[in-house]
Amino acid sequence: MKKYCFLTLIFWLSVASWAQNANRSETFESANDSLCMKLDSLLDNPLFETSQVGLMVYDLTADTALYCYNYRQKLRPASCMKLVTSITALDQLGPKYEYQTRLFYTGEVHGRTLVGNIYCVGGFDPMLTQDDVVTLAASIRNLGVDSIRGQIVADRSFKESLDYGEGWCWDDDNPMLIALTIGRKDNFTSTLAEEISRLGINLEGVQLMQGRKPDDAQLLEVCCHSITQVLERMMKVSDNFYAESMFYQTAASVGHHPATAVDARTVTRKLINRLGLNASNYRIADGSGLSLYNYVTVELLVTLLRHAWRTPSISKALMPSLPVAGVDGTLKSRMQKTLAQGNVRAKTGTLTGISSLAGYCTAANGHELAFAIINQGILDKTSGKAFQDRVCRVLCGEDLGDSSQKSVVSRQKPVVKKGAKATKSRQSARNARKPRGKRR
């Protein structure tokens, strides 16, 4: 009898558990159906009669795609390319990686005179400052010298000699990609010479030159900045110089000297292939997104965001660097006084005709979402940003009212429909969450 009662109890507990899980599943599907309809409605916009858009939303918690529209259409990412660069760099180099600028000397000290040369080897550190130059100069004084008879040489061989990225517009005010600068200016040797003189060291006919450090040079000092320090400015304010420096740090990990953009692309493609996509389907030109030759998909961006979210070492470094909606960085003035404020963490992108946004947010049900949006062919960038902001507000659980509830007409056909119906059944909503790759 006891055995029978026990088995009966187990049976009814199993039934209750199944019913509870079924109810949760039904609730989850219902919520997703509503989300899909709202996103469908946002795509019913005259903006897309003359422009393209790629949109993908992925539920990281449930590990499923919620919404896909033109998710494999190749589009230019603008500064969302910095997500590709940063996630690849953190994957390849790790969050403890440091940028290094090193000072060496050759020759001998006779009395209090260094008869030899000073070599500064640049590591393409975008954060190198006047204070760092002071530190480097002080290390020379610590040799116990009061004069130098030789040369001060800038070694910029860390990277290839190309000053600009592939596909950059010649008439834009772009930073020169030099491996040893102060404040992005090509004035390192003169600045170091001035600081050495300020410390009371006499420069006896010293020449300022560019060259390569010889193998027998002795190390004097190293100035370092962490990859996370570089990442913060690179992402928060979308600094292109910082992004290109990170691109070349990734390139240098291959071991070639000097490092090349080809090396960086090779590392990026290996990661893309490892994550299950075909790297040959994309065009990687630079690290900042300035190039006209970059072509990616929202699927690629979301795949990289998923990889970062699933890898604690990457997520811990990346998440604090992303602009926060209505709070800081390039999203400071966007989505204020909405449910997206303080919730959305994402990278923005803006070029002529391009507006993009990709990152993370938390849905109303507590699930973590990754999303990517690229608007291409829009001459008024504010229209693209407005669309992206509305998408984010919907993802965060906000009801936009009539604008998000109106029926979907067949003008853009953003999702699979049955017949000429304006609304979808639950089955078609499920289809909307599956990658479809429709292109317009």
Side-chain angles (χ1 to χ4, degrees):
M1 184 67 179
K2 291 182 178 180
K3 182 177 180 181
Y4 172 79
C5 292
F6 177 75
L7 291 175
T8 301
L9 177 63
I10 293 298
F11 171 77
W12 285 112
L13 287 175
S14 299
V15 170
S17 176
W18 175 85
Q20 186 177 26
N21 290 334
N23 183 59
R24 287 177 179 172
S25 177
E26 183 71 16
T27 301
F28 178 74
E29 288 188 0
S30 177
N32 289 342
D33 291 350
S34 176
L35 173 64
C36 289
M37 293 183 69
K38 291 177 181 180
L39 294 178
D40 289 349
S41 184
L42 293 181
L43 286 166
D44 176 27
N45 189 319
L47 174 66
F48 304 120
E49 294 178 355
T50 57
S51 66
Q52 299 168 284
V53 63
L55 168 60
M56 185 170 184
V57 182
Y58 197 93
D59 189 325
L60 297 165
T61 306
D63 194 18
T64 184
L66 297 183
Y67 195 87
C68 299
Y69 180 76
N70 288 346
Y71 76 124
R72 286 181 176 168
Q73 185 160 354
K74 297 175 181 64
L75 302 167
R76 289 167 53 199
S79 281
C80 276
M81 193 69 194
K82 293 181 176 68
L83 280 171
V84 181
T85 301
S86 59
I87 294 172
T88 301
L90 289 170
D91 181 86
Q92 178 74 7
L93 306 172
K96 295 183 179 180
Y97 179 82
E98 290 185 325
Y99 290 61
Q100 294 188 352
T101 304
R102 299 171 295 159
L103 194 69
F104 296 82
Y105 77 97
T106 58
E108 298 179 354
V109 176
H110 297 285
R112 293 178 62 82
T113 300
L114 172 62
V115 181
N117 299 333
I118 300 294
Y119 293 88
C120 191
V121 180
F124 204 173
D125 183 350
M127 299 187 69
L128 195 66
T129 66
Q130 183 73 35
D131 289 341
D132 295 316
V133 178
V134 171
T135 299
L136 295 173
S139 70
I140 299 174
R141 183 179 60 183
N142 293 340
L143 281 174
V145 301
D146 59 15
S147 61
I148 298 175
R149 194 179 303 154
Q151 301 171 340
I152 297 178
V153 183
D155 186 337
R156 308 193 309 198
S157 62
F158 174 85
K159 64 172 290 292
E160 59 191 341
S161 59
L162 297 176
D163 289 338
Y164 299 104
E166 180 186 7
W168 287 13
C169 291
W170 65 270
D171 55 347
D172 284 347
D173 185 19
N174 296 322
M176 293 183 65
L177 306 181
I178 299 173
L180 186 57
T181 63
I182 301 173
R184 310 174 196 234
K185 297 179 180 178
D186 185 14
N187 61 350
F188 181 85
T189 52
S190 60
T191 304
L192 179 60
E194 291 172 3
E195 189 57 38
I196 292 172
S197 296
R198 194 187 68 79
L199 293 176
I201 299 175
N202 182 37
L203 302 179
E204 299 181 5
V206 168
Q207 294 180 313
L208 308 182
M209 304 182 63
Q210 294 181 32
R212 294 283 292 268
K213 173 192 73 68
D215 293 338
D216 61 348
Q218 301 180 65
L219 181 65
L220 275 172
E221 185 62 78
V222 181
C223 287
C224 300
H225 291 104
S226 70
I227 192 172
T228 52
Q229 288 177 296
V230 174
L231 192 63
E232 182 175 4
R233 178 175 175 85
M234 167 183 164
M235 303 299 275
K236 288 290 188 185
V237 301
S238 201
D239 193 302
N240 296 318
F241 187 66
Y242 278 51
E244 294 302 330
S245 75
M246 190 169 291
F247 191 60
Y248 276 97
Q249 303 301 316
T250 304
S253 69
V254 174
H256 297 164
H257 192 85
T260 69
V262 172
D263 296 328
R265 293 173 197 135
T266 298
V267 176
T268 305
R269 290 190 185 107
K270 285 182 177 179
L271 175 61
I272 293 172
N273 287 331
R274 200 176 86 218
L275 295 180
L277 300 179
N278 187 346
S280 64
N281 290 332
Y282 313 103
R283 182 73 165 82
I284 309 296
D286 66 5
S288 62
L290 282 173
S291 176
L292 300 178
Y293 301 156
N294 289 311
Y295 277 94
V296 302
T297 64
V298 290
E299 180 188 37
L300 172 61
L301 295 179
V302 167
T303 298
L304 288 167
L305 289 169
R306 288 171 59 198
H307 174 61
W309 188 79
R310 292 171 173 174
T311 310
S313 60
I314 298 178
S315 179
K316 186 177 180 180
L318 179 68
M319 291 298 285
S321 74
L322 293 173
V324 182
V327 177
D328 64 15
T330 54
L331 285 178
K332 185 175 183 179
S333 62
R334 293 174 61 176
M335 295 175 257
Q336 293 180 341
K337 299 180 180 179
T338 71
L339 292 183
Q341 180 171 357
N343 185 342
V344 171
R345 290 178 174 269
K347 182 71 197 73
T348 59
T350 305
L351 281 175
T352 301
I354 305 293
S355 182
S356 56
L357 186 69
Y360 305 97
C361 68
T362 303
N365 63 355
H367 284 209
E368 298 297 322
L369 308 180
F371 66 90
I373 313 165
I374 300 179
N375 292 100
Q376 182 167 287
I378 52 171
L379 297 183
D380 178 11
K381 62 183 179 183
T382 59
S383 59
K385 291 180 179 179
F387 169 75
Q388 295 155 18
D389 292 356
R390 288 193 294 271
V391 170
C392 288
R393 291 165 62 187
V394 166
L395 295 182
C396 293
E398 188 169 336
D399 187 350
L400 302 186
D402 293 339
S403 64
S404 67
Q405 298 299 328
K406 62 184 179 179
S407 62
V408 184
V409 298
S410 60
R411 176 164 63 249
Q412 291 298 318
K413 297 182 182 177
V415 293
V416 174
K417 298 185 183 297
K418 294 183 178 181
K421 292 183 180 180
T423 58
K424 295 189 299 296
S425 65
R426 177 166 293 124
Q427 181 59 46
S428 63
R430 290 193 189 102
N431 290 339
R433 294 193 293 272
K434 297 178 182 178
R436 293 184 303 280
K438 289 205 165 193
R439 301 184 180 183
R440 299 289 184 266

